[in-house]
Amino acid sequence: GDRVVNDVIIQVSDDPEFKTGVTTVYNNDTDNTCGQGAGTDKAYIGTYLGKQIPGKASKGRYVRATSNGSTDNKMNEYIELEVWGQAK
């Protein structure tokens, strides 16, 4: 069934360690549990259809996805993550 995924943060950067040039394109961690800054995005509802998250015209080579369990359990369960972009 559907579940709410906690503290979902999607970031883009040219730095593989995400120390500089980080653009956050989605953040629903409203109380900054993950320490990446408090987010204002709506809850992430996990369904079999997945969820599209616009990249907000961000530029970078690396994408990082963070989450903090769900209403089902404390596991972070990624089935598939697709990133669409254009070459420079």
Side-chain angles (χ1 to χ4, degrees), residues 15-79:
D15 178 4
E17 296 182 16
F18 284 79
K19 292 183 178 180
T20 61
V22 177
T23 301
T24 300
V25 296
Y26 185 90
N27 183 345
N28 75 347
D29 181 9
T30 57
D31 59 358
N32 196 24
T33 301
C34 295
Q36 299 293 323
T40 58
D41 288 303
K42 293 180 180 180
Y44 185 109
I45 310 296
T47 73
Y48 74 95
L49 295 171
K51 182 172 184 70
Q52 289 186 354
I53 298 174
K56 300 181 182 174
S58 57
K59 295 179 182 179
R61 180 175 181 180
Y62 304 96
V63 175
R64 176 169 67 182
T66 304
S67 59
N68 193 20
S70 70
T71 52
D72 280 353
N73 58 55
K74 295 183 182 210
M75 301 294 291
N76 295 319
E77 304 172 63
Y78 292 97
I79 295 170

